[in-house]
């Protein structure tokens, strides 16, 4: 069945609804400050799906596009930032929706992009990615892993679904933890009761992954809340500054990078 998507171009191009009949998939955290942001301001988490580019963590936090007004022309929406322009076109499909993206910049420009989707999921929801997929855990997981965290390591690597002893395929009740991970896979499937949501990236030769943010009441301090991010990503790190040669997307000689995000209510488990 098609998915109904609503976006807010004036306020960073945020997706404010991803709805199937009888189900809203996006989690929301109303915050009036989200309506007042300007480039360079601290990130305001209002939920939904944010377009995070050219980084997720780092500078600027959650990227440079979420804090700028977008322009809508027909079916296309676009945002112009200092070093790049991002354009997207969203359309319904028979079993969901798809978003087509074009990033234009000088050849050689490197970036990370994530569809920072915060999902409204029950504690019984499960996440399905390819068994054994290489999974990076980031330092907030240091107290949970089954080994000492190496001094200064930006991440450690294990295998899905329980990298370094941290099971990530189930959510469960709030336990005061918050874990970020990046899985070397092109897509993920979410199960929540009878409902299914499959998200996948198609990006040619660019590196793709799925970022996860499993926040079970562990972030932010001192007033944490629960949120779950399932985030198809170009690149393999949250912070562009930490990206190795194969950990970020790169603009080729044409000056354009094109990719497609597909979302489906059909089960396509790896």
């Amino acid at each position: 069945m098609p998915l109904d998507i609503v976006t807010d171009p004036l306020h960073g191009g945020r997706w404010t609804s991803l709805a199937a009949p009888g189900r809203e998939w996006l989690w929301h955290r109303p915050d009036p400050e989200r309506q007042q942001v300007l480039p360079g301001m601290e990130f305001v988490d209002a939920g939904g799906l944010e377009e995070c580019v050219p980084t997720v963590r780092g500078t600027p936090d959650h990227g440079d596009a979420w804090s700028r007004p977008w322009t809508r022309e027909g079916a296309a929406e676009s945002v112009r930032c200092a070093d790049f322009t991002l354009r997207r076109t969203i359309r319904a499909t028979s079993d969901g929706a798809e978003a087509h993206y074009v990033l234009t910049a000088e050849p050689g420009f490197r970036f990370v992009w994530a569809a920072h989707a915060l999902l409204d999921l029950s504690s019984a929801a499960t996440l399905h990615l390819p068994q054994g997929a290489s999974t990076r855990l980031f330092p907030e997981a240091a107290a949970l892993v089954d080994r000492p965290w190496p001094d200064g390591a930006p991440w450690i690597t294990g295998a899905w679904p329980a990298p370094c002893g941290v099971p990530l395929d189930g959510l469960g009740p709030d336990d005061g933890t918050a874990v970020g991970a990046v899985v070397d896979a092109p897509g993920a499937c979410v199960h929540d009761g009878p409902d299914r949501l499959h998200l996948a990236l198609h990006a040619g030769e660019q590196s793709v992954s799925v970022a996860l943010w499993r926040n079970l009441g562990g972030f932010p301090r001192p007033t944490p809340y629960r949120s779950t991010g399932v985030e198809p990503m170009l690149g393999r790190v949250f912070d562009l500054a930490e990206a190795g040669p194969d950990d970020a997307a790169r603009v080729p000689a044409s000056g354009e990078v094109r990719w497609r995000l597909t979302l489906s209510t059909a089960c396509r488990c790896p």
Side-chain angles (χ1 to χ4, degrees):
M1 62 187 72
L3 286 161
D4 185 29
I5 296 172
V6 179
T7 65
D8 185 357
L10 184 60
H11 301 103
R14 184 168 67 101
W15 299 30
T16 57
S17 180
L18 176 63
R23 171 89 193 219
E24 172 58 60
W25 280 101
L26 294 181
W27 170 85
H28 295 91
R29 178 180 171 268
D31 189 328
E33 293 186 8
R34 184 66 178 82
Q35 307 300 309
Q36 311 299 326
V37 296
L38 297 171
M41 292 179 64
E42 184 177 352
F43 180 67
V44 178
D45 185 6
L49 185 154
E50 302 277 10
E51 304 280 359
C52 293
V53 59
T55 191
V56 182
R57 299 181 183 177
T59 304
D61 186 25
H62 286 71
D64 200 25
W66 74 271
S67 60
R68 297 177 183 272
W70 291 46
T71 300
R72 180 177 286 164
E73 296 181 6
E77 298 171 330
S78 63
V79 61
R80 183 180 298 274
C81 299
D83 298 316
F84 63 91
T85 297
L86 179 65
R87 185 172 74 252
R88 73 180 177 207
T89 304
I90 300 172
R91 69 178 186 88
T93 62
S94 60
D95 65 352
E98 60 184 26
H100 294 256
Y101 291 86
V102 183
L103 184 139
T104 305
E106 289 294 321
F109 178 71
R110 299 178 78 225
F111 66 97
V112 170
W113 166 87
H116 187 277
L118 294 177
L119 302 181
D120 187 7
L121 303 176
S122 75
S123 61
T126 55
L127 309 177
H128 298 259
L129 291 98
Q131 185 80 15
S134 179
T135 303
R136 292 176 175 179
L137 289 174
F138 292 79
E140 62 270 10
L144 305 176
V145 300
D146 58 8
R147 66 201 68 179
W149 194 274
D151 289 344
W155 62 76
I156 60 175
T157 304
W160 180 267
C164 307
V166 183
L168 293 178
D169 55 340
L171 299 183
D174 289 2
D175 61 8
T177 66
V179 176
V182 175
V183 186
D184 190 6
C189 196
V190 179
H191 294 196
D192 195 9
D195 299 323
R196 304 290 184 265
L197 180 65
H198 184 267
L199 308 95
L201 273 185
H202 312 265
E205 297 181 356
Q206 301 289 346
S207 62
V208 299
S209 62
V210 177
L212 302 176
W213 175 241
R214 195 190 68 180
N215 175 23
L216 303 180
F219 179 88
R221 298 296 182 184
T223 55
Y225 48 82
R226 181 186 180 100
S227 59
T228 303
V230 181
E231 309 170 20
M233 173 183 280
L234 290 184
R236 297 191 180 98
V237 292
F238 287 111
D239 189 343
L240 179 62
E242 297 176 344
D246 298 322
D247 292 335
R250 184 185 296 273
V251 176
S254 66
E256 290 186 347
V257 177
R258 295 176 177 266
W259 66 96
R260 176 167 52 97
L261 169 65
T262 61
L263 307 102
S264 173
T265 56
C267 184
R268 299 177 184 175
C269 288

